[in-house]
Amino acid sequence: MTAGKHGYRTGLVDMKAGQISREIFVNEEIYREELERLFARAWLFVGHESQIPKPGDFFVSGMGEESVILCRDRAGKVHVFLNSCRHRGMKVCRYDEGSTPVFTCPYHGWSYGTDGKLVGVPYFREAYHEKLDKSQWGLVEVPQLCLYKGTVWASWDPSAPPFLEYLGDFVRYLDLTLDGWDGSEGGTEILGGIQKWLIPCNWKFPAENFCGDSYHNISHRSVDLVGIGPSGSGRRDLQERLMARRLHVAFYDRGHQTGVYLFPNDQPMPPSYQHSPVVSEYFAHCEEERRKKRGEWARVIGSPGEIFPNTALHPRQPRTIAVWHPRGPHQTEVWRWYMVDSAAPPEVKDFLRDYYIRYSGPAGMTEQDDMENWNYAHAASRGTIARRHPYSYEQGLGFETERYEWQGLHIPGTVMDITEAKSSEHNLRNLYRRWAEFMEAESWDDLATWRVARAAE
Amino acid sequence: MSEPINIRLLGPGARIVLDDGAIAEIVSNPLDGVWVFARYLSSPADPARVGSEEMIFAQDIIEIQ
């Protein structure tokens, strides 16, 4: 089946019916178009400043299928470059991370400074007769870069809106992952290394899962029975479910979405991390401080979410950011960063590291459940017959609330209250709604619809 | 052809002879096996280079002094 440039919103992704064709997960041509229309235009998560603290430090990351170098130049400025020599395309950096004064291509020896400038060309005098204009042959740099509370984001599209405009009010939900647990601005760092592994499924399987797919909790029942949680039961401290409103929040014009728990007024936070008195006390103290600093907004507790298209947020237990790198229609390379308060005592960081990897990553018990589902769902959707039958995304269709408010607190975004309903596919639909818009839009003029709405006001 | 030189072993202060007869002193070594940063001490082919610092390509180095 060929989708062409059109038909994404009217056929393959049918939001009215709540149905989505399996083709968008398994079709090679659609995948190729995604690389151009999504990954070359959207803002993508590249890394964290704490990974490159000193001049010369670098971390090799990815944007879409392409390898990029996140580095800090000699003057301390942060850059993101395409990891490909301008001469014949060889990777100029084949290490995962490190520190260097130059990136030297091992093929013919062209060498670049950490500011991307071409500084070394073998036989420049003899073979090039000093005629090569080195200033035109520096590393390809992303046209847009944004540093936000330690995180580094980039877009290949010079016409994309600035990152904070791209987020809109969703920035408040991103902050739930990036601010300190005590409510202080930023203050988080990366804990340990980055976990990287391959899953044989399309990148959208994990992406939709992390939008807030609460329906698949049955998959994790075995983990809940084992009790890997930080208080010795379940997989997380989930007592908040008993008192909070449980919400799915979607930003229709941006494509970002998340789950949140909304606490009632004046309700103390249930105790957490009870396996360790030190950790438990640390979080109790942080919660007290957070309420002082954040006021009413402290009632909002984060839950899994997704920044369009492929950055997943897991703000609380565990606190992580994941990127679903596309590696062909049938494979995803997951990179998972673990976050912790920079100022947390070593005992807290140690405890969290153990808990995090028990939960997430290739050996994490919860993530293993997910991977098994994505792997087999993808494989069982590739066949000729299977492709003829769409997936259902009808759950809760038509039950969204535009201006949601509870006990005096307005929640930005379009909300589905699932406290009684238990589940919805509201956030998943939002991911694909935006996906279809990106696939059809010719430019950011068509995608930045909020600008049109603002101009009309 | 002379034996290839492992330029990764050259530290600051080492003196090298280049294929055009120039002599230079290593200033720093990024250890990439391809380039070193060096200051020209002599340069019969282009005396103006003396005192200047340049990246020297490994294949141009023919001898360690």
Side-chain angles (χ1 to χ4, degrees):
Chain A
M1 181 175 176
T2 301
K5 282 187 180 170
H6 301 287
Y8 289 109
R9 297 167 74 177
T10 51
L12 295 169
V13 175
D14 186 344
M15 282 294 107
K16 223 174 202 174
Q19 293 183 9
I20 294 176
S21 168
R22 298 183 193 212
E23 287 289 343
I24 75 163
F25 298 89
V26 298
N27 184 297
E28 302 270 347
E29 194 181 328
I30 292 174
Y31 173 76
R32 288 283 140 215
E33 226 171 333
E34 277 181 337
L35 295 180
E36 182 66 43
R37 292 181 167 263
L38 264 67
F39 292 99
R41 297 204 288 197
W43 279 90
L44 306 174
F45 179 73
V46 178
H48 196 275
E49 281 194 86
S50 65
Q51 295 179 272
I52 49 163
K54 297 187 297 295
D57 287 352
F58 67 86
F59 168 70
V60 171
S61 189
M63 292 175 69
E65 281 191 348
E66 289 167 294
S67 175
V68 296
I69 304 168
L70 165 64
C71 72
R72 192 179 292 277
D73 71 18
R74 290 166 73 173
K77 190 179 174 198
V78 175
H79 300 267
V80 173
F81 300 114
L82 187 68
N83 186 7
S84 178
C85 182
R86 293 293 304 279
H87 180 243
R88 284 296 178 277
M90 174 69 184
K91 274 189 175 181
V92 295
C93 186
R94 291 178 296 160
Y95 297 93
D96 290 338
E97 58 191 14
S99 192
T100 186
V102 284
F103 297 107
T104 298
C105 175
Y107 194 178
H108 299 95
W110 280 27
S111 187
Y112 304 85
T114 46
D115 57 1
K117 288 182 182 150
L118 178 61
V119 291
V121 175
Y123 310 135
F124 179 67
R125 287 195 194 91
E126 302 89 333
Y128 285 98
H129 307 285
E130 300 190 1
K131 300 287 188 201
L132 180 76
D133 183 357
K134 288 186 196 170
S135 70
Q136 298 300 307
W137 292 94
L139 290 173
V140 175
E141 184 161 13
V142 293
Q144 293 211 68
L145 177 74
C146 180
L147 309 179
Y148 182 71
K149 293 188 175 179
T151 52
V152 183
W153 304 78
S155 170
W156 286 117
D157 190 341
S159 67
F163 180 63
L164 289 179
E165 185 184 338
Y166 180 85
L167 286 182
D169 279 346
F170 194 80
V171 70
R172 303 187 72 179
Y173 301 108
L174 171 61
D175 285 348
L176 297 174
T177 299
L178 302 183
D179 285 340
W181 274 296
D182 65 354
S184 55
E185 292 276 332
T188 46
E189 65 181 16
I190 302 300
L191 182 64
I194 314 305
Q195 287 188 322
K196 305 170 183 176
W197 73 102
L198 294 167
I199 309 175
C201 70
N202 186 272
W203 68 272
K204 293 188 289 301
F205 273 104
E208 75 156 57
N209 190 102
F210 274 78
C211 286
D213 176 5
S214 45
Y215 203 36
H216 79 285
N217 275 333
I218 187 67
S219 283
H220 299 307
R221 201 160 176 81
S222 56
V223 182
D224 290 339
L225 289 170
V226 170
I228 66 167
S231 296
S233 64
R235 62 185 189 279
R236 292 199 285 261
D237 289 313
L238 290 168
Q239 295 91 328
E240 65 267 23
R241 281 176 190 234
L242 304 174
M243 54 190 78
R245 301 304 296 180
R246 204 171 160 206
L247 311 177
H248 279 167
V249 181
F251 283 61
Y252 284 0
D253 56 356
R254 304 306 208 271
H256 317 311
Q257 48 275 317
T258 189
V260 295
Y261 292 98
L262 177 55
F263 260 60
N265 280 321
D266 304 323
Q267 185 75 41
M269 181 68 106
S272 58
Y273 298 94
Q274 292 178 83
H275 253 341
S276 161
V278 173
V279 181
S280 191
E281 275 169 35
Y282 176 77
F283 277 93
H285 169 73
C286 285
E287 179 58 21
E288 209 172 290
E289 290 298 308
R290 198 173 73 88
R291 290 186 177 210
K292 281 184 209 159
K293 287 179 184 142
R294 297 291 167 172
E296 277 291 281
W297 187 253
R299 289 168 53 199
V300 175
I301 307 295
S303 185
E306 184 91 8
I307 291 179
F308 187 85
N310 68 331
T311 304
L313 308 172
H314 211 292
R316 194 164 159 242
Q317 288 187 340
R319 176 172 278 202
T320 84
I321 290 179
V323 174
W324 321 111
H325 292 296
R327 296 288 182 261
H330 312 302
Q331 187 160 263
T332 301
E333 185 169 334
V334 186
W335 287 26
R336 191 173 279 293
W337 284 254
Y338 294 92
M339 317 283 290
V340 68
D341 282 359
S342 310
E347 299 96 311
V348 172
K349 292 183 181 178
D350 284 347
F351 181 92
L352 292 176
R353 185 186 59 242
D354 290 348
Y355 168 56
Y356 286 178
I357 58 177
R358 199 159 67 230
Y359 188 105
S360 292
M365 292 183 74
T366 311
E367 196 129 40
Q368 284 182 45
D369 294 336
D370 291 327
M371 289 189 281
E372 193 173 359
N373 291 326
W374 306 330
N375 175 353
Y376 286 100
H378 183 93
S381 297
R382 291 178 64 174
T384 306
I385 305 302
R387 288 179 188 219
R388 295 175 188 166
H389 301 279
Y391 295 145
S392 165
Y393 290 84
E394 293 161 71
Q395 209 176 95
L397 193 58
F399 289 86
E400 307 83 1
T401 308
E402 276 304 332
R403 281 197 57 80
Y404 185 88
E405 194 177 310
W406 187 57
Q407 293 191 354
L409 184 63
H410 166 66
I411 296 295
T414 305
V415 173
M416 179 85 75
D417 187 329
I418 61 164
T419 315
E420 283 79 31
K422 295 186 172 61
S423 182
S424 89
E425 284 163 346
H426 170 56
N427 285 1
L428 283 60
R429 283 191 293 275
N430 195 49
L431 171 74
Y432 294 111
R433 179 186 296 111
R434 192 60 169 162
W435 179 90
E437 286 170 2
F438 260 80
M439 293 296 277
E440 286 202 355
E442 292 304 329
S443 73
W444 266 103
D445 289 340
D446 302 326
L447 288 166
T449 51
W450 59 86
R451 287 179 173 173
V452 180
R454 206 179 301 142
E457 278 168 9
Chain B
M1 189 182 160
S2 57
E3 283 293 303
I5 294 166
N6 183 356
I7 68 160
R8 285 172 55 88
L9 301 176
L10 301 176
R15 289 187 175 197
I16 52 178
V17 180
L18 310 185
D19 61 359
D20 64 355
I23 296 173
E25 185 178 76
I26 306 283
V27 175
S28 64
N29 188 342
L31 299 176
D32 61 10
V34 181
W35 297 95
V36 288
F37 292 88
R39 184 182 305 109
Y40 282 98
L41 302 177
S42 70
S43 177
D46 183 3
R49 275 196 245 158
V50 174
S52 66
E53 227 176 272
E54 259 190 30
M55 289 175 74
I56 307 290
F57 188 44
Q59 306 228 134
D60 290 339
I61 303 170
I62 58 168
E63 192 185 323
I64 303 168
Q65 267 198 336

